[in-house]
PDB file of all heavy atoms in Angstrom:
ATOM      1  N   GLN A  37      -8.161  -3.229   1.002  1.00 96.00           N
ATOM      2  CA  GLN A  37      -8.351  -1.807   0.648  1.00 96.00           C
ATOM      3  C   GLN A  37      -9.937  -1.583   0.568  1.00 96.00           C
ATOM      4  O   GLN A  37     -10.539  -2.147  -0.345  1.00 96.00           O
ATOM      5  CB  GLN A  37      -7.715  -1.350  -0.548  1.00 96.00           C
ATOM      6  CG  GLN A  37      -7.800   0.152  -0.849  1.00 96.00           C
ATOM      7  CD  GLN A  37      -6.975   0.601  -2.031  1.00 96.00           C
ATOM      8  OE1 GLN A  37      -6.844  -0.097  -3.082  1.00 96.00           O
ATOM      9  NE2 GLN A  37      -6.325   1.753  -1.906  1.00 96.00           N
ATOM     10  N   GLY A  40     -12.416   4.858   1.507  1.00 85.00           N
ATOM     11  CA  GLY A  40     -12.382   5.736   2.698  1.00 85.00           C
ATOM     12  C   GLY A  40     -11.528   5.162   3.883  1.00 85.00           C
ATOM     13  O   GLY A  40     -11.456   5.917   4.906  1.00 85.00           O
ATOM     14  N   TYR A  48       1.262 -10.851   7.562  1.00 93.00           N
ATOM     15  CA  TYR A  48       2.562 -10.735   6.866  1.00 93.00           C
ATOM     16  C   TYR A  48       3.503 -11.851   7.204  1.00 93.00           C
ATOM     17  O   TYR A  48       3.174 -12.638   8.152  1.00 93.00           O
ATOM     18  CB  TYR A  48       3.191  -9.339   7.198  1.00 93.00           C
ATOM     19  CG  TYR A  48       3.623  -9.123   8.564  1.00 93.00           C
ATOM     20  CD1 TYR A  48       5.028  -9.323   8.937  1.00 93.00           C
ATOM     21  CD2 TYR A  48       2.778  -8.874   9.567  1.00 93.00           C
ATOM     22  CE1 TYR A  48       5.495  -9.150  10.164  1.00 93.00           C
ATOM     23  CE2 TYR A  48       3.247  -8.729  10.910  1.00 93.00           C
ATOM     24  CZ  TYR A  48       4.575  -8.869  11.159  1.00 93.00           C
ATOM     25  OH  TYR A  48       5.003  -8.688  12.506  1.00 93.00           O
ATOM     26  N   PHE A  90      -4.836  -6.838  -1.738  1.00 98.00           N
ATOM     27  CA  PHE A  90      -3.572  -6.699  -2.353  1.00 98.00           C
ATOM     28  C   PHE A  90      -2.514  -7.477  -1.607  1.00 98.00           C
ATOM     29  O   PHE A  90      -2.428  -7.438  -0.427  1.00 98.00           O
ATOM     30  CB  PHE A  90      -3.165  -5.189  -2.345  1.00 98.00           C
ATOM     31  CG  PHE A  90      -3.904  -4.369  -3.418  1.00 98.00           C
ATOM     32  CD1 PHE A  90      -4.997  -3.578  -3.020  1.00 98.00           C
ATOM     33  CD2 PHE A  90      -3.504  -4.338  -4.691  1.00 98.00           C
ATOM     34  CE1 PHE A  90      -5.645  -2.860  -3.820  1.00 98.00           C
ATOM     35  CE2 PHE A  90      -4.277  -3.582  -5.652  1.00 98.00           C
ATOM     36  CZ  PHE A  90      -5.349  -2.857  -5.210  1.00 98.00           C
ATOM     37  N   GLU A  97      12.757  -4.656   4.860  1.00 75.00           N
ATOM     38  CA  GLU A  97      11.595  -3.676   5.155  1.00 75.00           C
ATOM     39  C   GLU A  97      11.717  -2.407   4.276  1.00 75.00           C
ATOM     40  O   GLU A  97      11.391  -1.345   4.720  1.00 75.00           O
ATOM     41  CB  GLU A  97      11.675  -3.258   6.605  1.00 75.00           C
ATOM     42  CG  GLU A  97      11.367  -4.428   7.626  1.00 75.00           C
ATOM     43  CD  GLU A  97      11.467  -4.045   8.990  1.00 75.00           C
ATOM     44  OE1 GLU A  97      12.001  -2.918   9.293  1.00 75.00           O
ATOM     45  OE2 GLU A  97      11.033  -4.897   9.843  1.00 75.00           O
ATOM     46  N   ILE A  99      11.197  -1.024   0.014  1.00 89.00           N
ATOM     47  CA  ILE A  99      10.042  -0.684  -0.874  1.00 89.00           C
ATOM     48  C   ILE A  99       9.217  -1.944  -1.042  1.00 89.00           C
ATOM     49  O   ILE A  99       9.729  -3.014  -1.304  1.00 89.00           O
ATOM     50  CB  ILE A  99      10.532  -0.171  -2.273  1.00 89.00           C
ATOM     51  CG1 ILE A  99      11.351   1.027  -2.043  1.00 89.00           C
ATOM     52  CG2 ILE A  99       9.341   0.048  -3.183  1.00 89.00           C
ATOM     53  CD1 ILE A  99      12.188   1.389  -3.259  1.00 89.00           C
ATOM     54  N   GLN A 100       7.813  -1.787  -0.826  1.00 93.00           N
ATOM     55  CA  GLN A 100       6.908  -2.882  -1.090  1.00 93.00           C
ATOM     56  C   GLN A 100       6.387  -2.774  -2.573  1.00 93.00           C
ATOM     57  O   GLN A 100       6.026  -1.684  -3.031  1.00 93.00           O
ATOM     58  CB  GLN A 100       5.770  -2.808  -0.155  1.00 93.00           C
ATOM     59  CG  GLN A 100       6.239  -3.125   1.254  1.00 93.00           C
ATOM     60  CD  GLN A 100       5.054  -3.128   2.291  1.00 93.00           C
ATOM     61  OE1 GLN A 100       3.923  -3.381   1.947  1.00 93.00           O
ATOM     62  NE2 GLN A 100       5.399  -3.035   3.540  1.00 93.00           N
ATOM     63  N   GLY A 103       0.894  -6.511  -5.980  1.00 96.00           N
ATOM     64  CA  GLY A 103       0.246  -7.196  -7.098  1.00 96.00           C
ATOM     65  C   GLY A 103      -0.976  -6.327  -7.551  1.00 96.00           C
ATOM     66  O   GLY A 103      -1.313  -5.312  -6.953  1.00 96.00           O
ATOM     67  N   ARG A 107     -10.499  -8.649  -6.470  1.00 97.00           N
ATOM     68  CA  ARG A 107     -11.676  -7.978  -6.097  1.00 97.00           C
ATOM     69  C   ARG A 107     -12.659  -9.087  -5.669  1.00 97.00           C
ATOM     70  O   ARG A 107     -13.099  -9.911  -6.400  1.00 97.00           O
ATOM     71  CB  ARG A 107     -12.301  -7.200  -7.192  1.00 97.00           C
ATOM     72  CG  ARG A 107     -11.577  -5.881  -7.378  1.00 97.00           C
ATOM     73  CD  ARG A 107     -11.408  -5.377  -8.818  1.00 97.00           C
ATOM     74  NE  ARG A 107     -10.551  -4.290  -8.892  1.00 97.00           N
ATOM     75  CZ  ARG A 107      -9.194  -4.264  -8.941  1.00 97.00           C
ATOM     76  NH1 ARG A 107      -8.644  -5.452  -8.868  1.00 97.00           N
ATOM     77  NH2 ARG A 107      -8.509  -3.173  -8.944  1.00 97.00           N
TER      78      ARG A 107
ATOM     79  N   TYR B  35       3.108   6.518  -2.542  1.00 97.00           N
ATOM     80  CA  TYR B  35       2.769   5.566  -3.624  1.00 97.00           C
ATOM     81  C   TYR B  35       1.663   6.189  -4.512  1.00 97.00           C
ATOM     82  O   TYR B  35       0.861   7.030  -4.077  1.00 97.00           O
ATOM     83  CB  TYR B  35       2.178   4.303  -3.096  1.00 97.00           C
ATOM     84  CG  TYR B  35       3.090   3.232  -2.551  1.00 97.00           C
ATOM     85  CD1 TYR B  35       3.685   3.453  -1.213  1.00 97.00           C
ATOM     86  CD2 TYR B  35       3.575   2.178  -3.297  1.00 97.00           C
ATOM     87  CE1 TYR B  35       4.604   2.501  -0.730  1.00 97.00           C
ATOM     88  CE2 TYR B  35       4.449   1.357  -2.768  1.00 97.00           C
ATOM     89  CZ  TYR B  35       4.996   1.477  -1.543  1.00 97.00           C
ATOM     90  OH  TYR B  35       5.918   0.637  -1.073  1.00 97.00           O
ATOM     91  N   GLN B  37      -1.436   5.314  -7.160  1.00 97.00           N
ATOM     92  CA  GLN B  37      -2.392   4.173  -7.474  1.00 97.00           C
ATOM     93  C   GLN B  37      -3.368   4.698  -8.496  1.00 97.00           C
ATOM     94  O   GLN B  37      -4.287   5.491  -8.165  1.00 97.00           O
ATOM     95  CB  GLN B  37      -3.076   3.592  -6.271  1.00 97.00           C
ATOM     96  CG  GLN B  37      -3.947   2.447  -6.539  1.00 97.00           C
ATOM     97  CD  GLN B  37      -4.641   1.915  -5.260  1.00 97.00           C
ATOM     98  OE1 GLN B  37      -4.853   2.505  -4.355  1.00 97.00           O
ATOM     99  NE2 GLN B  37      -4.943   0.551  -5.360  1.00 97.00           N
ATOM    100  N   GLY B  40      -8.239   1.012 -10.184  1.00 91.00           N
ATOM    101  CA  GLY B  40      -8.258  -0.335 -10.502  1.00 91.00           C
ATOM    102  C   GLY B  40      -6.964  -1.046 -10.693  1.00 91.00           C
ATOM    103  O   GLY B  40      -6.826  -2.209 -11.148  1.00 91.00           O
ATOM    104  N   ALA B  42      -2.633  -1.558  -9.151  1.00 94.00           N
ATOM    105  CA  ALA B  42      -1.805  -1.741  -7.895  1.00 94.00           C
ATOM    106  C   ALA B  42      -1.161  -0.399  -7.468  1.00 94.00           C
ATOM    107  O   ALA B  42      -0.737   0.320  -8.351  1.00 94.00           O
ATOM    108  CB  ALA B  42      -0.761  -2.786  -8.097  1.00 94.00           C
ATOM    109  N   ARG B  91       6.114   4.181   7.953  1.00 90.00           N
ATOM    110  CA  ARG B  91       6.660   2.846   8.469  1.00 90.00           C
ATOM    111  C   ARG B  91       6.783   3.068   9.889  1.00 90.00           C
ATOM    112  O   ARG B  91       7.599   3.869  10.447  1.00 90.00           O
ATOM    113  CB  ARG B  91       7.991   2.517   7.838  1.00 90.00           C
ATOM    114  CG  ARG B  91       8.548   1.074   8.165  1.00 90.00           C
ATOM    115  CD  ARG B  91       9.533   0.677   7.253  1.00 90.00           C
ATOM    116  NE  ARG B  91      10.779   1.429   7.250  1.00 90.00           N
ATOM    117  CZ  ARG B  91      11.703   1.295   6.307  1.00 90.00           C
ATOM    118  NH1 ARG B  91      11.572   0.540   5.361  1.00 90.00           N
ATOM    119  NH2 ARG B  91      12.813   2.077   6.430  1.00 90.00           N
ATOM    120  N   LEU B  94       5.874  -2.580  14.740  1.00 71.00           N
ATOM    121  CA  LEU B  94       4.898  -3.589  15.089  1.00 71.00           C
ATOM    122  C   LEU B  94       5.106  -3.976  16.612  1.00 71.00           C
ATOM    123  O   LEU B  94       6.242  -4.009  16.977  1.00 71.00           O
ATOM    124  CB  LEU B  94       4.886  -4.789  14.223  1.00 71.00           C
ATOM    125  CG  LEU B  94       4.214  -4.687  12.793  1.00 71.00           C
ATOM    126  CD1 LEU B  94       4.805  -5.612  11.894  1.00 71.00           C
ATOM    127  CD2 LEU B  94       2.770  -4.747  12.916  1.00 71.00           C
ATOM    128  N   GLY B  98       9.724  -5.710  14.300  1.00 70.00           N
ATOM    129  CA  GLY B  98       9.630  -5.379  12.915  1.00 70.00           C
ATOM    130  C   GLY B  98       8.774  -4.104  12.659  1.00 70.00           C
ATOM    131  O   GLY B  98       8.377  -3.490  13.631  1.00 70.00           O
ATOM    132  N   ASN B  99       8.556  -3.802  11.402  1.00 76.00           N
ATOM    133  CA  ASN B  99       7.800  -2.558  11.105  1.00 76.00           C
ATOM    134  C   ASN B  99       6.681  -2.922  10.102  1.00 76.00           C
ATOM    135  O   ASN B  99       6.649  -3.898   9.494  1.00 76.00           O
ATOM    136  CB  ASN B  99       8.777  -1.540  10.487  1.00 76.00           C
ATOM    137  CG  ASN B  99       9.797  -1.046  11.385  1.00 76.00           C
ATOM    138  OD1 ASN B  99       9.559  -0.215  12.151  1.00 76.00           O
ATOM    139  ND2 ASN B  99      11.015  -1.585  11.263  1.00 76.00           N
ATOM    140  N   THR B 105      -5.599   7.457   3.572  1.00 95.00           N
ATOM    141  CA  THR B 105      -6.746   7.106   2.660  1.00 95.00           C
ATOM    142  C   THR B 105      -6.492   7.450   1.250  1.00 95.00           C
ATOM    143  O   THR B 105      -7.231   7.103   0.389  1.00 95.00           O
ATOM    144  CB  THR B 105      -8.068   7.646   3.225  1.00 95.00           C
ATOM    145  OG1 THR B 105      -7.896   9.069   3.350  1.00 95.00           O
ATOM    146  CG2 THR B 105      -8.418   7.054   4.599  1.00 95.00           C
TER     147      THR B 105
END
Side-chain angles (χ1 to χ4, degrees):
Chain A
Q37 187 174 39
Y48 67 102
F90 286 99
E97 295 178 347
I99 300 165
Q100 292 186 19
R107 283 146 187 82
Chain B
Y35 281 81
Q37 186 177 24
R91 186 161 66 192
L94 280 159
N99 293 280
T105 55

